[in-house]
Amino acid sequence: MSQAQEPPRRKLLRIDDLLQRNVYDVDQRPHIILHAEKCEECEYKPCLRACPAECYVEVGGRVIFSYEGCLECGTCRVVCPHDAVEWDYPVSGRGVYYRFS
Amino acid sequence: MGQSAEFDAIVVGAGPAGATAAYHLAKRGFNVLLVERGRGAGSKQVFGGRIYAEPLREVFDDLDKAPIHRWVRRERFTILDGDRELTLDFRAGASTSFTAYLTQFTQWIAQKAVDAGAVLADEVRVDGLWLDGGRVRGIVAGPDRVAARVVIVAEGVNRLLLERAGFVHRASPRELALGVKEVIKLDKKTIEERFGLEEGEGLAWVLLGEVTDFIPGGAFVYTNRDTLSVGLVVHLGGAYQLLRDQVHVLAERLRTHPRLSRFFEGGDIMEYSAHMTIEDSVGYMPEHFAYDGMVIVGDAAGLLLNTGLTIRGVDYAAYSGYLAAKGVERALSEGDASAEALRRHYEVPLRESFIYRDLMRHRGASYAMKNPRMFREYPRVALDTLEEIYTLGRETPLPHEALARALSRNRVGFAEFALRMLKVVMSL
Ligand SMILES: Cc1cc2nc3c(=O)[nH]c(=O)nc-3n(C[C@H](O)[C@H](O)[C@H](O)COP(=O)(O)OP(=O)(O)OC[C@H]3O[C@@H](n4cnc5c(N)ncnc54)[C@H](O)[C@@H]3O)c2cc1C
Ligand code: SF4
């Protein structure tokens, strides 16, 4: 029953290391556009925790978005309470290429 | 694609639903265009890990030739909370489902469609439905418009086209969940040893509790031939706001959990993927499954059943694609692709099928599953009750005392607990 007997936790991989496992053909033009001015009034900023690729990060109170690691799940569009995410799929075969999922 | 002659049918999305519809229409001699935004069919597919076979036997007469990884015989269910764990381990007498990569399985269906004569236009993103009055006349992709007598919408859960055209409401987080998954490479033997499986046998494992930080959802492990699919699903409504970590952090916690890591030890992560899934199927369904010149199949039609212990979307998708192909065949042979004709030949059979009937029958239970207490207090009640029963000092509690103490520790009233359990059972 002693807590000390638990084996130590192994290291968690960071998001970059996870995304690196994937194959992408990144388009030069972003498929998602964030209208970040709308984020300023947003209290919860659900995108920061909802995005499974950590494409949304907060820097000095501002939300910064990058599309390169996007997994195309569509979650950010759905959870955004201020309609700040202009969302589309990447064009013609671009974006993530899943092989084993 | 250019300006081309009219197709009998255009299918939007080569997932299991769309590829199956295209296959069955092409097989019946129709001239079909199957449009997919990804590079090759299957390249945008993500799911948990297992497919139920029985409905597919009617749809594909050579299902045994599909890229099947393992037939699932072992079902495991676990509640985890710190160093406490409750596991139910069941070995079924027969197997009715198999593990697979949805990427491969979808490719297999799409290849059948192509072999049957369908034209697969991959790397083409459809930008809109071509509407004429209220009628769907075809699709818009970049500068092109392509006409068809019927459009089969199989765009999946993220319904941009149906939303844009106003056929469905805007998706709400309450109706949806987010899933993430890691595919971990291990050799075949190691998998069988670690999970206690016979050769070729598969396991499906659902985990609750700490693994989702006690918010609604669940984690999963499926054994493939020489990989594991490991991930979790979290509901996007309500309790999700309480999530303290990002979802990929939860996935990594699962992989490195002290009670679980020995299963994954030494395995390389080959892929990390994410996809949404439907939480409230009935709420997500469009008002109709057919409109003038258009039918809706698969996830786009809200056809997904997640009971908490089992999830079925792929077989529902493929079966609805099959029903749509049969319905469209009838309508086109009568020369009538009106909403009325398509409803008669597709929507009615769909509503009479096992899919729709089960979705309606499970409605109450899935409502109960949405209660956050199902994922926080109740699993702890189960663990605390067992703790009372097994961790004895001097006194040995009676079973009802053990339960009463567990309930009060979690501030769950007995009446509430009894009623909730009764409701779940009754709704089944
Ligand atoms: C985490 C998770 C776990 C799951 N686990 C299971 C499970 O274990 N078993 C099970 O049976 N089901 C499971 N499901 C559900 C299952 O994945 C879906 O029900 C199934 O994939 C639905 O098939 P579909 O063909 O309707 O849609 P999808 O598989 O989503 O296919 C839609 C296709 O349309 C394409 N597309 C979309 N929009 C466009 C456009 N505008 N232009 C061109 N192409 C487009 C997409 O690229 C995609 O290929 C799970 C789902 C998730 C998210
Ligand atoms: S679609 Fe998914 S992965 Fe891409 S930015 Fe939005 S939430 Fe992140």
Side-chain angles (χ1 to χ4, degrees), chain A:
Chain A
M1 280 292 290
S2 123
Q3 297 274 331
Q5 280 170 13
E6 288 289 347
R9 259 188 195 275
R10 280 150 191 82
K11 260 183 83 174
L12 308 191
L13 293 181
R14 292 165 47 149
I15 189 65
D16 293 343
D17 203 352
L18 286 173
L19 297 177
Q20 219 186 316
R21 318 286 160 136
N22 294 346
V23 174
Y24 289 93
D25 179 1
V26 177
D27 194 4
Q28 281 161 356
R29 288 146 301 172
H31 57 284
I32 298 172
I33 295 165
L34 179 68
H35 297 281
E37 67 285 355
K38 296 191 186 173
C39 306
E40 278 158 34
E41 294 138 59
C42 184
E43 194 182 342
Y44 294 111
K45 301 189 175 57
C47 55
L48 298 177
R49 264 169 307 141
C51 173
E54 234 178 88
C55 291
Y56 296 80
V57 290
E58 196 169 16
V59 183
R62 296 195 52 192
V63 181
I64 312 273
F65 171 72
S66 57
Y67 69 99
E68 290 84 354
C70 175
L71 299 167
E72 297 165 34
C73 64
T75 306
C76 52
R77 179 180 82 96
V78 172
V79 298
C80 179
H82 297 287
D83 222 348
V85 181
E86 190 180 323
W87 204 99
D88 208 338
Y89 285 117
V91 294
S92 60
R94 295 306 176 91
V96 68
Y97 182 99
Y98 291 127
R99 299 152 298 157
F100 314 109
S101 291

Side-chain angles (χ1 to χ4, degrees), chain A residues 1-3 6-15 18-19 21-25 31 44 46 48-54 56 71-75 77-80 83 87-101, chain B residues 37-39 43-47 83 101-103 123 125 158 160 163-164 170-173 176 178 180-183 210 236 240-241 243-244 246-249 252-253 255-259 261 265 269-276 387:
Chain A
M1 280 292 290
S2 123
Q3 297 274 331
E6 288 289 347
R9 259 188 195 275
R10 280 150 191 82
K11 260 183 83 174
L12 308 191
L13 293 181
R14 292 165 47 149
I15 189 65
L18 286 173
L19 297 177
R21 318 286 160 136
N22 294 346
V23 174
Y24 289 93
D25 179 1
H31 57 284
Y44 294 111
L48 298 177
R49 264 169 307 141
C51 173
E54 234 178 88
Y56 296 80
L71 299 167
E72 297 165 34
C73 64
T75 306
R77 179 180 82 96
V78 172
V79 298
C80 179
D83 222 348
W87 204 99
D88 208 338
Y89 285 117
V91 294
S92 60
R94 295 306 176 91
V96 68
Y97 182 99
Y98 291 127
R99 299 152 298 157
F100 314 109
S101 291
Chain B
R37 66 187 183 88
R39 186 161 300 165
S43 63
K44 301 293 186 183
Q45 254 65 38
V46 179
F47 86 141
D83 45 16
Y101 298 152
L102 191 56
T103 46
E123 299 196 40
R125 183 186 76 187
N158 194 18
L160 297 182
E163 280 191 29
R164 278 180 197 151
R170 199 194 144 96
S172 143
L176 296 166
L178 168 63
V180 295
K181 155 168 152 179
E182 295 178 357
V183 177
E210 189 189 342
L236 291 172
Y240 168 79
Q241 305 280 351
L243 201 60
R244 285 170 296 185
Q246 279 149 322
V247 192
H248 62 85
V249 176
E252 277 292 288
R253 286 243 178 84
R255 188 178 63 85
T256 57
H257 192 283
R259 306 211 57 78
S261 62
E265 190 75 67
I269 301 172
M270 296 165 71
E271 194 159 83
Y272 169 66
S273 54
H275 201 88
M276 285 194 296
E387 184 112 38

Side-chain angles (χ1 to χ4, degrees), chain A residues 72 88-89, chain B residues 11-19 35-38 40-52 102 106 121 124-128 153-161 164 177-181 220 222 232-233 274-278 297-301 303-305 310-318 320:
Chain A
E72 297 165 34
D88 208 338
Y89 285 117
Chain B
V11 183
V12 182
V35 191
E36 167 59 43
R37 66 187 183 88
S43 63
K44 301 293 186 183
Q45 254 65 38
V46 179
F47 86 141
R50 82 142 118 214
I51 299 173
Y52 289 91
L102 191 56
T106 301
V124 175
R125 183 186 76 187
V126 175
D127 297 313
V153 178
E155 61 177 329
V157 61
N158 194 18
R159 304 188 287 202
L160 297 182
L161 301 180
R164 278 180 197 151
L178 168 63
V180 295
K181 155 168 152 179
F220 57 82
Y222 294 98
L232 60 121
V233 172
H275 201 88
M276 285 194 296
T277 184
I278 303 167
V297 294
D299 270 8
L303 307 178
L304 182 117
L305 181 57
T310 58
I311 173 165
R312 306 180 75 156
V314 174
D315 62 324
Y316 280 19
S320 68

Side-chain angles (χ1 to χ4, degrees), chain B residues 77-97:
Chain B
F77 171 78
T78 291
I79 301 173
L80 264 184
D81 182 10
D83 45 16
R84 299 192 303 170
E85 170 191 334
L86 163 61
T87 290
L88 183 81
D89 198 340
F90 175 64
R91 187 164 190 272
S95 173
T96 58
S97 64

